[in-house]
Amino acid sequence: MKKSELYGRQLCLTPREAATLPADVQKITGIQVSGTRIQCMRCGEFLNPREAQLPNNQYYCYACLNLGRNSTLTSLYHIPEPNDFPQRPTCSWQGQLTVQQRTCAQRVRENFEHRHRHLLWAVTGAGKTEMLFPGLTWALQRGLRCALASPRVDVCLELAPRLQAAFVDAEIALLHGRNPAPYRYCQLTICTTHQLLRFRHAFDVLIIDEVDAFPFAANPRLYYAVNQAVKPHGALLYLTATPSQELLRQVRRGDLEISYLPLRFHQHLLPMIKVTLQPHWWQVIKRGQLPNRLRRQLARYQQTQQRFLLFVPQVAQLAAVQAAIQRALPALRGLTVHATDPDRLAKVQQMRDQRVQFLITTTILERGVTFPGIDVIVLGADDPLFSTAALVQIAGRVGRSRERPTGLVWFLAASHARTIKRAQRQIRLVNRKGRRLRDAMPVVSTIDSK
Amino acid sequence: MQCLLCQRLIQSKFSLPWLLSWRPFTRPVVCAVCWQRFKRIERRTACPGCGRDQTVPRLCPDCQRWPAERPFHNVALFTYNDAMRAYFQQYKFHGDYRLRRVFEGTMQTALHQLNGDLVLIIPVTPSTLLSRGFNQVSGWLSDGLNQPRGLQTLAREKGVPQSKKVRQDRLRTPQPFMLALAAEQIQGKRVVVIDDIYTTGRTIRHAADLLLESGAKSVTGLTLAR
């Protein structure tokens, strides 16, 4: 194994595998056993002794098992990050930022320079990635090690070519669970947040995209991983359109700086959520009928040929909804998509190509996809499966094109659940900020484009 | 309670017959959906030689190629299908020792029913034991403790693991075991040998050969999968 492969990493190896390592490696205990408390030093999980036991008083960590088993039979091996980068990559991106984007990019860069922890709250469709370029250019020029991590593989796969295009002469490592390519030591790393568990004090600049997405939001181990992967005096930037209560609490406590970008690139406000109470929507659909209001709306779509997404809480409900629509309005052409659907990508592509008018889907299409000029209907929006973040993201699918910057976001729910209230409040808040920003803006800047 | 295999929540319902049966409540470890993906082998119609799942109880083509007169046969509990492959991947190769609980009950019941005089388990090499930390077979039996160490692996460097070989190479594998028991402990006994998977039968038949040569009356193999 090359020495550089251990720079800033913590690899879990058995003593036999570690025998070939260079002499100056640091060895860290993999699992700390002190009395009844057993903690995995890689993911920070406190382990239940009964679950974690192996024969002969050995223990293993079941929480981060899919990264290779960490146990009392193995240790973590680490070499401190030396920032050994011969090259100084330059930014080759030619695009223009809007005035607000430029202000935000400036803030991002300053926070990198001062090694601050920073939350950038930018609405869905604001052009977040481009705003990172000035800051990243600065960091790469200084020879700092940078990483961009996201909870979702799709986001990583989408970001990698965009960053490679922006920094042509930079070496970029793309790490995720399904990538068979071996690890390379690069100045810029793009990875899923799970992969951060393999790093220790590695990054001077660490950016977490879509912090609110599953599984990051619900997983304290990944917060541990972030704090472990960034250098003790490194800069940390969270990017999100829907910050969680926990992040906002950190902002209020002063642990995290915050900046907003409440306007989309086309300078329009986010569409507001319209909620209609429909207590027995599922019983009606199970009978093979559509709730009246929904049928009228869909009939209107049939006439206008307006394209739309229809969200349901559970995969099992997809077929019933599809059947009910087919029965009531046979002329509407649509498909169902869910996470384990083998034709998932093909179906989404059909929607992109405008070959079908609508998709019925679950939360998998809540983020990361853009169908220009669509409407969105959510059935059972008060279901606990839809978190506030998910609802805001779903609402954010609408109005993403310059041609049709508004649209309908319609929730059919059995109750005014707290998640819906919070989602409405978040959108109202950013819209208020956006309106203020737009009013204060010189008239010229609305013309220049993305 | 989460399902050990799919991490979904298991809802256990308390029925009236169960309440009246006065039996202790056993927490389910896997959900019904995951459990149904394992295919149980019907003992009555299985191959009498190796325990393979068949529609008629006739010696299967693989078994016809083995010498027949030996008092050895194998009993397998489940078909080696995709679900089982995924299970072994997670349990044995990723080392998720919690998963032993999935088949703990089934394995112990089957062993009890075979009612042998002596129970031996197929050992793993010391180096594997060191890195894996457990023997996958003894995990299913009484929490991996108190197993008589009747069989031992020969002190030979393990080259390619069995699971990486093709059939012909597997069949050519030389005897990997030796007996750590005195002859009178085996003489005239009905021995049960337990392994995880019966693929070609080479491993477990090596063990059986050793035991029969030392005077065992009969040897029965018990494997989780075939």
Side-chain angles (χ1 to χ4, degrees), chain A residues 15-28:
Chain A
R16 180 195 287 222
E17 288 168 316
T20 57
L21 293 180
D24 52 343
V25 222
Q26 292 179 10
K27 188 170 156 185
I28 307 159

Side-chain angles (χ1 to χ4, degrees), chain A residues 99-344:
Chain A
V99 180
Q100 300 97 32
Q101 280 179 322
R102 220 172 298 148
T103 324
C104 271
Q106 185 61 31
R107 272 295 292 281
V108 167
R109 192 188 139 155
E110 278 164 19
N111 279 313
F112 285 174
E113 283 176 30
H114 298 120
R115 307 287 202 276
H116 283 168
R117 297 160 60 90
H118 180 198
L119 168 70
L120 175 56
W121 181 350
V123 289
T124 49
K128 283 189 288 262
T129 316
E130 286 77 14
M131 280 189 282
L132 301 176
F133 291 159
L136 274 178
T137 314
W138 173 84
L140 293 173
Q141 287 279 318
R142 288 297 199 76
L144 301 181
R145 191 171 186 190
C146 309
L148 214 160
S150 165
R152 300 239 165 161
V153 186
D154 317 327
V155 177
C156 295
L157 293 176
E158 196 212 299
L159 282 175
R162 278 166 76 185
L163 280 171
Q164 189 68 75
F167 300 95
V168 177
D169 47 0
E171 277 203 85
I172 299 181
L174 175 63
L175 311 174
H176 56 85
R178 276 176 265 160
N179 190 355
Y183 171 79
R184 278 188 311 142
Y185 177 59
C186 295
Q187 194 177 0
L188 182 57
T189 305
I190 299 171
C191 63
T192 52
T193 41
H194 271 101
Q195 297 293 325
L196 290 177
L197 287 166
R198 292 214 172 105
F199 289 93
R200 187 184 189 85
H201 304 332
F203 303 111
D204 303 281
V205 170
L206 178 57
I207 304 163
I208 316 285
D209 198 359
E210 310 261 16
V211 225
D212 53 293
F214 182 83
F216 193 88
N219 198 336
R221 289 194 294 283
L222 294 177
Y223 277 100
Y224 181 91
V226 166
N227 290 323
Q228 190 82 229
V230 71
K231 280 188 184 171
H233 294 288
L236 186 60
L237 171 66
Y238 290 117
L239 293 175
T240 180
T242 46
S244 63
Q245 298 290 315
E246 172 56 32
L247 280 178
L248 292 177
R249 207 171 297 135
Q250 288 188 30
V251 171
R252 258 176 272 134
R253 239 189 276 134
D255 295 344
L256 207 58
E257 288 188 36
I258 187 165
S259 50
Y260 303 89
L261 182 59
L263 277 181
R264 289 177 156 178
F265 69 91
H266 52 49
Q267 318 286 344
H268 286 270
L269 300 180
L270 296 178
M272 289 298 293
I273 297 169
K274 182 184 148 196
V275 183
T276 306
L277 282 187
Q278 185 84 50
H280 302 297
W281 67 273
W282 175 235
Q283 278 88 327
V284 176
I285 283 180
K286 245 192 336 199
R287 251 184 276 136
Q289 295 163 348
L290 289 177
N292 279 332
R293 270 181 288 228
L294 181 62
R295 201 192 55 232
R296 280 201 294 276
Q297 182 65 33
L298 294 185
R300 227 168 289 146
Y301 284 148
Q302 190 179 348
Q303 275 181 359
T304 57
Q305 291 294 307
Q306 169 63 40
R307 284 143 40 78
F308 62 98
L309 290 178
L310 190 65
F311 287 86
V312 294
Q314 284 166 28
V315 178
Q317 294 169 333
L318 289 170
V321 175
Q322 167 83 324
I325 293 178
Q326 283 305 319
R327 214 179 114 188
L329 303 155
L332 273 179
R333 299 244 312 116
L335 294 169
T336 61
V337 181
H338 57 90
T340 49
D341 193 334
D343 307 327
R344 173 176 155 190

Side-chain angles (χ1 to χ4, degrees), chain A residues 25-46:
Chain A
V25 222
Q26 292 179 10
K27 188 170 156 185
I28 307 159
T29 323
I31 290 198
Q32 196 118 51
V33 184
S34 49
T36 51
R37 269 159 88 85
I38 303 168
Q39 191 187 14
C40 172
M41 299 315 283
R42 183 165 63 175
C43 67
E45 180 90 349
F46 286 101

